[in-house]
Amino acid sequence: MTIPIIDIGPWTNFSGNSEADRQAVAEQVGQACRDVGFFGITQTHADPQVLAQAWEASRQFFDLPMETKLKFKSENDQEYPYGYENSEVLSVGKETDVNGTDGTDDSSKPSPPTPDLKETYAIGPYNPHSGMPSRRLIPDNPPDFEKCLSSYYEAMESMALTLLRIIAVALKLEDESFFESRMDHHFSALRILNYFPVKLSQMKPGQLRASPHTDYGCIILKSGGPGLQVKKDVETDEWVDVPHLPN
């Protein structure tokens, strides 16, 4: 399996691009969705300053002392599923998908795996019509933390709508804006992650940075460094490196 890299410039830079160019991109995206379910994109025309500022604000936050970061951890994930987290085990959700376990207490079940070796922080939508709780547990250090993450959230929200227009054309829908009215009160989350330095001797058997999982939602947009792997089928053990695309 190969992860396709698709230039979506005809959809983000309208100068000099024809309808045939846009259609060609849609066909590539449709093929990638059918064959792989994952693809890289270039020529997004996202503001590099927005990305850089979000990256720097994230770094400054994760560099804070642990006792400070824990002040922004939700006490009830069902009530407020955002904020700081440092004990996530992504594979628990995957076990639920595969085995149908419901998370109830059962002494016959094996003990839960050790936490993934990372820390995260998440914000939800600002739109009150999303049905999600309003944003809180927002750090005041660094001072521009919320502004930087909100700007990045909005940029990725716009990018997701562009991809949905491309997918609408790939699906041969009559209206390329078909999905927009169905996404006007979405509850997408932005999660920033920090993979802090660890030594092999510190890791417990089976412990990973981010354990195997299936993401939820319509579109997952991921930026950052290398290291991500994907596989198409549950039945196979073929993990494929996702190419790292700077910026």
Side-chain angles (χ1 to χ4, degrees), residues 12 23 33 72 78 80 92 108 116 121 125 128 182-183 193:
T12 57
Q23 182 66 42
C33 290
F72 306 103
Q78 298 296 321
Y80 189 76
V92 169
S108 66
D116 294 341
Y121 180 88
R182 295 158 174 83
M183 294 291 177
L193 292 83

Side-chain angles (χ1 to χ4, degrees), residues 200-216:
L200 213 56
S201 59
Q202 298 173 304
M203 299 177 67
K204 298 179 180 179
Q207 194 171 27
L208 298 170
R209 288 298 208 173
S211 48
H213 61 282
T214 299
D215 282 317
Y216 58 90

Side-chain angles (χ1 to χ4, degrees), residues 62-63 69 117-120 192-197 209:
F62 286 128
D63 282 349
K69 291 182 286 190
L117 289 167
K118 67 177 187 300
E119 55 183 348
T120 73
I192 56 175
L193 292 83
N194 180 39
Y195 295 98
F196 44 79
R209 288 298 208 173

Side-chain angles (χ1 to χ4, degrees), residues 4 12 23-24 30 69 78 81 84 89 98-99 112 136 144 155 178 195 198 208 215 218 238:
T12 57
Q23 182 66 42
K69 291 182 286 190
Q78 298 296 321
Y84 179 72
V89 187
V98 174
N99 299 326
R136 56 182 187 268
D144 57 354
F178 175 84
Y195 295 98
V198 293
L208 298 170
D215 282 317
C218 182
E238 180 192 10

Side-chain angles (χ1 to χ4, degrees), residues 21-179:
D21 294 329
R22 285 160 47 91
Q23 182 66 42
V25 172
E27 290 175 1
Q28 291 178 67
V29 169
Q31 194 71 39
C33 290
R34 288 188 296 271
D35 293 349
V36 182
F38 202 96
F39 55 93
I41 55 175
T42 61
Q43 297 298 319
T44 63
H45 288 270
D47 187 344
Q49 186 175 8
V50 169
L51 175 58
Q53 289 174 344
W55 189 270
E56 178 59 21
S58 302
R59 184 192 64 77
Q60 291 181 28
F61 171 74
F62 286 128
D63 282 349
L64 295 174
M66 179 59 70
E67 58 267 25
T68 301
K69 291 182 286 190
L70 287 173
K71 294 177 181 178
F72 306 103
K73 184 179 176 69
S74 177
E75 295 182 358
N76 186 333
D77 289 341
Q78 298 296 321
E79 177 185 318
Y80 189 76
Y82 309 113
Y84 179 72
E85 178 59 68
N86 67 340
S87 58
E88 184 177 51
V89 187
L90 288 173
S91 59
V92 169
K94 189 62 181 173
E95 285 297 314
T96 301
D97 289 344
V98 174
N99 299 326
T101 55
D102 58 8
T104 56
D105 185 20
D106 185 343
S107 59
S108 66
K109 296 178 182 177
S111 57
T114 50
D116 294 341
L117 289 167
K118 67 177 187 300
E119 55 183 348
T120 73
Y121 180 88
I123 60 171
Y126 192 74
N127 186 350
H129 300 296
S130 68
M132 301 304 289
S134 57
R135 292 178 183 175
R136 56 182 187 268
L137 298 177
I138 304 295
D140 54 9
N141 184 22
D144 57 354
F145 183 78
E146 182 178 15
K147 177 183 177 182
C148 291
L149 263 62
S150 293
S151 295
Y152 184 73
Y153 185 106
E154 292 167 6
M156 294 302 101
E157 184 178 43
S158 176
M159 181 60 60
L161 288 175
T162 296
L163 288 171
L164 285 172
R165 287 194 289 272
I166 296 173
I167 289 172
V169 173
L171 291 170
K172 303 186 185 307
L173 301 178
E174 292 184 4
D175 181 7
E176 70 177 46
S177 62
F178 175 84
F179 291 108

